[in-house]
Amino acid sequence: MLKVYLSGEIHTDWREQISQGAAGLDVSFSSPVTDHAASDDCGVAILGAEPNKFWHDHKGAKLNAMRTRKGIEDADIVVVRFGEKYKQWNAAFDAGYASALGKSLIVLHGPDHQHALKEVDAAALAVAEKPAQVVEMLRYILTSELPA
């Protein structure tokens, strides 16, 4: 079974598009927590409240970093999506971490991010603009079949 970690932007349904498109393939998906509030508050929910917002965020970031590292380390392929609206610093970190571990990296973003992400793209084995392209890559990797 091919293990794929889906990292990055959480404001669109790109993960669902990939997982639905890959139905029937021998692939399992994992990802960070995509519930923004749960991700932000996990540290204080488990370790206790923090009156200072910095320490509140710090607890959550550390806990999420452990979860993300485990997901990336366990993956065969890491897909990192950079969305249109927000700067995803965590996605850039995830791409760099996956690359440093020698993981196969697919970067997913629109053409408007080409210049800003040129170094991230250079570390990737593939750069896609659409989730459907990622699905076709997974299909090809697993079956050697080209799109119809």
Side-chain angles (χ1 to χ4, degrees):
M1 175 167 293
L2 188 66
K3 294 181 259 177
V4 178
Y5 187 79
L6 302 174
S7 173
E9 184 262 320
I10 65 169
H11 303 284
T12 63
D13 69 346
W14 70 274
R15 285 180 180 84
E16 291 76 20
Q17 290 178 46
I18 292 172
S19 61
Q20 289 171 3
L25 294 176
D26 193 17
V27 61
S28 68
F29 296 100
S30 60
S31 67
V33 173
T34 58
D35 176 325
H36 202 117
S39 176
D40 285 351
D41 296 338
C42 65
V44 295
I46 296 168
L47 299 170
E50 287 291 343
N52 183 307
K53 182 68 172 148
F54 174 85
W55 294 111
H56 175 112
D57 289 346
H58 188 77
K59 282 182 176 180
K62 295 282 191 166
L63 188 54
N64 283 313
M66 286 188 276
R67 188 174 192 287
T68 298
R69 287 179 185 180
K70 170 94 171 94
I72 291 172
E73 289 165 5
D74 290 349
D76 299 308
I77 296 175
V78 177
V79 179
V80 181
R81 162 87 174 141
F82 291 86
E84 306 305 318
K85 271 178 121 175
Y86 303 96
K87 290 179 175 45
Q88 289 100 32
W89 307 116
N90 57 334
F93 175 83
D94 292 354
Y97 186 62
S99 181
L101 292 176
K103 299 294 178 174
S104 294
L105 175 63
I106 299 171
V107 175
L108 178 61
H109 63 74
D112 55 323
H113 283 44
Q114 284 176 353
H115 179 73
L117 294 173
K118 62 187 177 292
E119 288 83 6
V120 174
D121 289 352
L125 291 179
V127 179
E129 291 185 7
K130 300 173 187 164
Q133 292 172 313
V134 174
V135 171
E136 291 305 327
M137 285 185 228
L138 297 175
R139 185 177 323 285
Y140 178 77
I141 290 164
L142 289 167
T143 70
S144 302
E145 294 176 14
L146 294 174

